[in-house]
């Protein structure tokens, strides 16, 4: 009898409609992307970037540690001496093939001078994947955009150490 009543009153449809109407009056959790965007947490692992100090000098010293740490062989560093300063090095060229990156963050951890940063940028869909092979200028540009607040130069932070001459037997003292 019960089954007959359920059949003739279409009770199953009513139960379904009840669920539908319930959701009509609950707040929406759908974001209207791309007009609305989610607030990403600090530490989000988005597009990689190269960073500068506040005086505009590139932080990278061309040590290759990030290249060695990367499990996906994304990074290629071409290191060179700073002209006229044989104890200092910099990255003459720096390439990242972002089609291979798994955003693990190991390169950022490996860098001894915090020259690499992971940004909150994620809208990097492209038609030609060759445009995801980024050079140093492009990576610095991303860093400038994503991290406008820059760290002070090392010589300003550690007054008794001339920049990156820590390998010398006699550490040159900064004039007071
Ligand atoms: S995030 Fe990981 S995979 Fe991407 S470049 Fe860095 S080390 Fe390589
Ligand atoms: S980004 Fe950091 S780890 Fe990579 S070459 Fe430059 S200084 Fe070395």
């Amino acid at each position: 009898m019960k089954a007959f009543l359920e059949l003739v009153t279409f009770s199953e449809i009513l139960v379904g409609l009840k669920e539908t109407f319930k959701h009509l009056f609950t707040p929406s959790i759908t974001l209207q992307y791309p007009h609305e965007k989610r607030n990403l947490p600090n530490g989000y692992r988005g597009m990689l970037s190269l960073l500068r100090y506040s005086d505009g000098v590139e932080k990278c010293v061309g040590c290759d540690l990030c290249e060695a740490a990367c499990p996906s062989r994304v990074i290629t560093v071409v290191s060179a001496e700073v002209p006229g300063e044989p104890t200092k090095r910099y990255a003459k060229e720096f390439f990242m093939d972002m089609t291979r990156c798994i955003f693990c963050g190991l390169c950022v951890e490996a860098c001894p001078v915090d020259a690499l940063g992971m940004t909150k940028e994620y809208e990097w869909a492209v038609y030609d994947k060759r445009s995801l092979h980024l050079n140093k200028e492009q990576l610095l540009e991303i860093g400038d955009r994503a991290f406008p607040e820059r760290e002070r130069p090392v010589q300003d932070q550690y007054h008794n150490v001339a920049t990156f001459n820590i390998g010398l037997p006699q550490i040159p003292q900064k004039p007071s």
Side-chain angles (χ1 to χ4, degrees):
M1 185 64 181
K2 188 179 170 224
F4 176 73
L5 280 175
E6 280 177 0
L7 187 68
V8 294
T9 57
F10 303 107
S11 70
E12 283 178 3
I13 294 175
L14 291 176
V15 169
L17 282 176
K18 182 184 151 204
E19 202 59 31
T20 305
F21 278 111
K22 201 167 81 186
H23 286 284
L24 266 183
F25 300 105
T26 51
S28 165
I29 57 166
T30 307
L31 286 181
Q32 300 301 316
Y33 182 84
H35 306 295
E36 292 173 19
K37 289 179 188 167
R38 189 181 294 277
N39 279 332
L40 296 170
N42 291 332
Y44 179 81
R45 291 183 189 164
M47 175 54 86
L48 281 152
S49 64
L50 276 173
L51 308 179
R52 302 179 201 265
Y53 290 110
S54 57
D55 58 0
V57 172
E58 296 161 18
K59 287 176 121 184
C60 178
V61 293
C63 69
D64 272 357
L65 284 177
C66 53
E67 185 175 331
C70 178
S72 305
R73 296 176 179 266
V74 172
I75 305 170
T76 307
V77 185
V78 181
S79 176
E81 275 179 10
V82 173
E85 298 188 72
T87 58
K88 298 181 187 175
R89 298 186 74 77
Y90 76 113
K92 194 175 174 192
E93 305 281 355
F94 196 108
F95 298 104
M96 279 190 157
D97 181 358
M98 294 309 292
T99 58
R100 304 168 67 105
C101 182
I102 54 170
F103 299 95
C104 63
L106 288 178
C107 52
V108 178
E109 298 293 326
C111 181
V113 290
D114 293 335
L116 282 168
M118 296 191 98
T119 71
K120 293 183 183 178
E121 291 189 17
Y122 57 89
E123 291 166 312
W124 275 83
V126 292
Y127 286 106
D128 182 356
K129 69 177 187 176
R130 280 171 291 196
S131 56
L132 288 173
H133 196 217
L134 304 179
N135 61 29
K136 188 173 88 167
E137 284 65 39
Q138 288 170 302
L139 290 161
L140 283 167
E141 198 179 301
I142 299 168
D144 290 345
R145 185 166 65 226
F147 299 99
E149 217 167 287
R150 296 179 188 163
E151 196 182 343
R152 284 184 301 138
V154 170
Q155 63 270 30
D156 287 357
Q157 297 183 47
Y158 308 102
H159 291 285
N160 60 342
V161 178
T163 316
F164 306 127
N165 283 351
I166 49 176
L168 293 176
Q170 300 292 325
I171 295 174
Q173 298 294 308
K174 291 278 284 185
S176 53

